[in-house]
Amino acid sequence: MSFFDALRYRLRVFGRPRAYDQEIDEELHFHLALETMQQEHAGRGAVTPRDAHARARRRFGNATYHKEESRQMSGLGFFDTAAQDLRFAARTLRHTPGFTAAAILTLALGIGANTAIFSAVDAMLLRPLPFHEPNRLMQVSLTTPPINGEPAHDDSPWSYIKAKTFREAQDVFSSLALYSHETVTLRAAETTREESEIIDEQYLPTLGLSPSLGRNFVPDENRPNARRSVLVSESFWSRRLNADPSVLGRRLDLDGAPYTIIGVMPNNFHGLTGRADLWTTIGARRPFMFQPDEAWDHEFSMVARLKPGVAPERAQTETRVLGARANSSYMTKEPAPGWSAAAKLLDRTRVDPVVRRSLLVLLGAVVFVLLIACANLANLFLVRASARQREIAVRLAIGASRRRLVRQLLTESLLLSVLGGVISVAVAALGVRVLSTMNPQRALSAQQLGGLGAVSFETIHLDGRALLFALVAAVVTGLLFGLVPALQATRPSLTAALKEGTAEAPSRAAFFSRFTTRNALVVIELALALVLLAGSGVMVRSLAHLVAVDPGFDPSGVLTLRLNSTPEARPRDSLPGFYQTLIGELRGLPGVTSVALGDCPPLAGGCNGTVIAFHDRPRTAHGAGPIVGVHWVTPEWFQTLRVPLLSGRLFTDADRFGGRKVVLVNATAARRFWPNESPIGRSIGVYQGGFDTAYVAGVVGDVRFQTIDSVAAADVYLPYGQSPRSGAMVYLRTSSDPLSLVAAARRTIHQVGADLPVYDVRPFSSRVADATAQARFSALLLAVFAAAALALATIGIYGVISFAVAQRTREIGIRVALGADRGAVLRLIVGQGASVAVVGLVLGIAAALAATRVLRALLFDVTPTDPLTLITVVALLAAAALVACWIPARRAARLQPATALRD
Amino acid sequence: MADDREELLKGTLDMLILQTLTVQPMHGYAIAQHIERLSGEVLAVEQGSLYPALERLQKKGWLTSKWGASPTGRRARYYTLTATGRRQLGAEITSFDRVLAAIQRVLQRA
């Protein structure tokens, strides 16, 4: 094949250019040597070797020329030209250090920001999951139909027994594993809370992982009353166990029970939840924590590996059918449609759609910024090119080919962009660090966004892929901003440029065409900047709305912390008394005005929920009643969080074991379940915490437990005194700075219960800030990009107008000399800029209306085309453009005609 | 015009090189010798201009080259005709014949 022969030839030449160069040399010498011998031979001794050599040379022709030609033919000439162009470009750029520095800096910032955002996109969306054949892994979840205003879900966890039924029936997955997140108490020299996953023995094989030290669980360890074993993460191993290789067999005290360490997980693995340091088996849980036969105890996520040869689509179909069957076998009444199961590729579930959308929007925004920077640079190059017009014209006239000149000009822009690209790596490194310290991770979990914890901002780093991206971005950028000016500058209209003095007044057509290119670039800049400003404008407004949402409680002045008791330390029945003592002690601290306990903090999501029944109404099918959020609180909770009581009464210390079971409902529940009547005194069944029959004692204000932007749900509160929980969040309202309480609160808690781990100590207000972190993250970055775009676009229009003024100095001088007043000159110049700006703004508005639609899913309470935002940013950009025109216009208006005409 | 003649020569030179190499793989000097000997000095070109042509033909994939030992013992680069090169030669000869016939017809009329 000629193609391959030719390719091989090129590889040979370009692979080792210096060696090939020598080969050509050697070949020519060989030829000359043979010809010399031939000449000597032909002369039969009458010719001296010297003459023979001279004759050979004569026959050969100009050896240097032929060698040069051969080099050109072989393609080696490319390197000569490139080196020559590079030297020339470097020299040219050195002559204008200000321009060069500004260009390189602009590029470094632009490319660096792009690389940083690309790294985030790569880590969060693109890089393959760190498991064996990750595209064969599927997340299998239960689906639930919409119930009483609750939307349908396709990502619900399984109960153990339903998962078992499904697992035994299916034949599309080669292995299925269950896992669930749990925080456990590790009792050691210091008692701490550790993140863990409860898994089965299939978990690691399904993911294709095995412990780097020790072994995986065996099936026996996942049976009730089995030996308790634990796997630890590598970071836990080095942090808490001193990376001791003989750690296997050591015991850890988890939630009051001894677990034997059987292995260490591979590096950086923190489970699919992304947080775990410890792994224990489902079977090893204590019986009261886990009823394997309870079909409605939905807790476990499922990950499964497809059998070889099974297409994901087939698995999805089978999952749907078998999931419906698994569900219906545990329905007491006829199965409701919508209760089924769904399988999704694990890779699809890696991040929440909101995160995906935000990242893509940010990537788009940062590309826009780079494009604007490119347009600016292209304009600068056009200005330079017109300054070098004579030089270029002379070179064209004496026979330089246009291609050659374009190539040389492109070398200059590529040199700039590659230098910018090199420096951009430092910018990107900084950007990546900023991104991971902004770490919305905690906020993400606080907002209960979906997605695998295993894919997190912590996994963002600059790697080879990012560097490759930076390089490609640099080259593309260089071509982008270099090509148009290079083509423009070498356009062959020689005569005008060559004539003396015409640099100031080139032919009208040439002036016009060059000018339109420059104007077009500014129009593009303005339009892009407007899109960015509009986008960030609505994001900022959305953020303002989010921050302004009344969450239903007052977090200021409240310190929060978590603690956890174990059944071994305190039997369940003793908990109410213990917590009452604890609250009493804490209330005695100076500055503390009230103290309360609750099981699940507001705005964090992930609270308990259940189905309720109304005993004074006809019975409904099991599992078919309305779903409510269930929250356990102590009496002072409402007072501490300043949640208003709307009717009835709050809990009191008298609501304890043995008394009539009472609950409180929130306003939404009252309105939804008892429209136009009072819920007080009604008997309901809350199928959690033993509240099968309970009476509504009062109605309280709505509190947002899920996310700040979710609509208020129906909630029911149960008193700790009648249904204690082993874990609690403690709320201390204080009249002073909440953080000043920390030491005293810790001390007091340890005096009451030395074994209690106290953790997650934070002012309540910082938890609330987490709830808007994701929105703040996107809005802040977008605002930064928009500000950069605004600045660049302003500089761009300023550059164009000042250049136009400089070019028209003579004309303006004449106008003034002939009696034009300064106002007229001002109007002339500003008018020129304004017409460009208006075109840019109109285009920008159209583009913004189209482009900001992608933001819809990220906005809260603002439409993407919010008119107020659009008007504001248009006004802002117009003002910036006006200022940018005004400065050069004023300079023009102040021209002294004499100076202008003399120069 | 100088340019035109060079073009014509270049095309002819390519054809001669390709034709020469149908005999066997040769090094550059041997190719030059072969062309001169067979054409009886009529087609004597500057020997050096052979080498740019050889590079060009390789770039097109019509020739390949590799280093081997020459009879004198010195290392020399030997050129081999590729299958595409052979096809190309056929095409060039056909078109050359056509041009030649046309020229002859014109000359006989005149």
Side-chain angles (χ1 to χ4, degrees), chain A residues 715-778:
Chain A
D715 285 314
V716 172
Y717 295 89
L718 313 183
Y720 256 78
Q722 292 182 336
S723 172
R725 312 283 286 174
S726 59
M729 173 149 302
V730 181
Y731 303 81
L732 299 115
R733 180 166 283 284
T734 163
S735 46
S736 57
D737 175 17
L739 284 174
S740 66
L741 270 182
V742 174
R746 270 185 194 278
R747 214 166 31 244
T748 308
I749 293 168
H750 277 274
Q751 277 161 11
V752 181
D755 63 303
L756 290 175
V758 174
Y759 60 103
D760 202 9
V761 186
R762 294 166 69 192
F764 202 4
S765 50
S766 97
R767 288 180 201 280
V768 176
D770 277 357
T772 55
Q774 164 68 20
R776 259 184 298 146
F777 175 75
S778 306

Side-chain angles (χ1 to χ4, degrees), chain A residues 251-271:
Chain A
R251 297 278 170 85
L252 291 180
D253 182 331
L254 301 180
D255 284 344
Y259 283 76
T260 308
I261 299 175
I262 60 163
V264 178
M265 285 293 195
N267 194 14
N268 287 331
F269 182 69
H270 291 281

